[in-house]
Amino acid sequence: MMIVRAALVVIALALPRMASAQDAGAAAPPVPAPAQPVAIDPPAPVAIMPRVPPADPVAAACTLPPKDDREARAKFRLACATAIEDDADWQADISTRFERQEHERAAQAIRTNQRHVFWAYAFIWIALAALVGVMWVRQQRLNGEIARLNAQLKAIEAEDARRAKDKAKDKGDA
Amino acid sequence: MKRALVPVLAVVVALVLALAVRQVFFIAPIEANQLYWNQKIFYFHVPCAFMLFAAVFVCGVPAALFLKTRDPRYDDVAAAAAELAVVFGAIVLGSGMIWGKAAWGVWWQWEMRLTTSLLLWLIMVGYVLVRRFGGAGADRLSAGLAVFAMVDVPLVYFSVKYWNFLHPKAEVVSTLDPSMKLAFRLSALGFIGLFVLVLVTRVAQHRGVRALRDVRERGLDAGILEP
């Protein structure tokens, strides 16, 4: 706010001089004006612009204060925000610029995005591996069941053979 | 001969799928209009959707025959195909959701193609659950569900044609670049082989389980086997 105010003071002082110079120029060829002592107020303290001397008021008003000067930065932002709020065209311009940037950022993200391809293929392969795994487990269970049944049948056969042998032995004894 | 066929088919399927992956990631160009890398999900997502439809029909037709004839061999085929439908349905929905997040910015949209696909998958999950926990008569009940699921397949397929919201139309396949087409055909071939391989194996397992159960029951009835 301070900068804007300072800039406005400088511009207000400079404008009448520029206008009178233009008027004079229109009437006659420009003649260097004699140096006149002009009574002006002492310049406002420019605490927020330590880097750039305020030669050009616009440049001075637009110069971003250094990062470490937080207070000056806050004032600068506030001044900018106030000025933007007052200017609908400027608002629209900034809004369009940021929207375009956002679109470009999103497009770039889509162009370079490989993450979802990786996850999709990982999901597909994991699901297929799980299917094969489940089938393998079922086959093992089936093999175990067959082996158990075979063992039972073998035991029955052995039992039958033993009984037949005993029967034959009994017959022989008799 | 039949036993040797399964390992040979497994090797062929593995080779074709490896070739498909190579074609998809190293040869087919990146789609440069809209989807870029995300378009590569298409090569596996669409064949899996075809396999889902195939599995539902391979489940539904034998299920209808089972209801008519009560021949358990049809039931074995239907049960094996239903499991495949659940797996391929999960793959289609999962990969589709990831693709949707990448392309549309959302995981899910209640639009026709997605909703009817989810419905189809839920019916097939219902089939498997009824078979697993339904008790006596579950085979007939689940067969009815499988016939009902078949009705949903044309609904899923034509949903993008008649209710066009977000999902791309089926005609996109015919507009592909030749190298993209080759990648798509290779992966489709690989998934058809995988489908046949898993189906044959699962049918054999179902028949094995059924035969074993019959043998055990007869052994128990005759007092030969111990429980």
Side-chain angles (χ1 to χ4, degrees), chain A residues 57-160:
Chain A
V58 178
C62 293
T63 305
L64 189 65
K67 244 182 189 173
D68 51 350
D69 194 349
R70 286 168 173 255
E71 195 186 338
R73 280 222 163 191
K75 284 177 181 172
F76 186 84
R77 282 183 186 171
L78 187 63
C80 285
T82 312
I84 291 168
E85 275 170 17
D86 290 346
D87 190 340
D89 290 343
W90 193 6
Q91 269 181 39
D93 180 44
I94 288 175
S95 172
T96 311
R97 188 183 302 176
F98 279 105
E99 271 173 21
R100 197 167 53 236
Q101 277 180 8
E102 180 59 27
H103 278 298
E104 277 170 14
R105 193 198 58 76
Q108 180 65 18
I110 289 174
R111 274 196 291 273
T112 55
N113 177 21
Q114 296 179 5
R115 198 164 36 113
H116 290 94
V117 180
F118 171 80
W119 285 116
Y121 274 84
F123 179 79
I124 291 169
W125 288 117
I126 288 169
L128 291 177
L131 173 68
V132 172
V134 167
M135 281 173 59
W136 188 80
V137 167
R138 282 179 176 168
Q139 189 60 48
Q140 294 307 307
R141 207 179 292 158
L142 198 60
N143 289 346
E145 185 79 4
I146 291 168
R148 205 152 63 92
L149 206 58
N150 268 336
Q152 282 188 355
L153 284 173
K154 272 183 188 165
I156 291 163
E157 278 173 6
E159 181 67 21
D160 283 352

Side-chain angles (χ1 to χ4, degrees), chain B residues 135-202:
Chain B
D139 48 358
R140 277 168 287 156
L141 196 61
S142 52
L145 264 178
V147 175
F148 179 65
M150 275 199 300
V151 180
D152 195 25
V153 172
L155 210 62
V156 177
Y157 186 78
F158 291 111
S159 59
V160 283
K161 196 169 182 176
Y162 297 115
W163 300 280
N164 190 20
F165 292 107
L166 274 173
H167 199 282
K169 290 192 173 184
E171 287 83 28
V172 75
V173 176
S174 58
T175 63
L176 288 175
D177 179 88
S179 56
M180 288 176 169
K181 260 186 195 164
L182 180 63
F184 175 71
R185 282 175 186 156
L186 275 173
S187 54
L189 195 67
F191 275 102
I192 290 169
L194 184 69
F195 178 83
V196 172
L197 181 68
V198 175
L199 185 72
V200 166
T201 312
R202 281 301 292 146

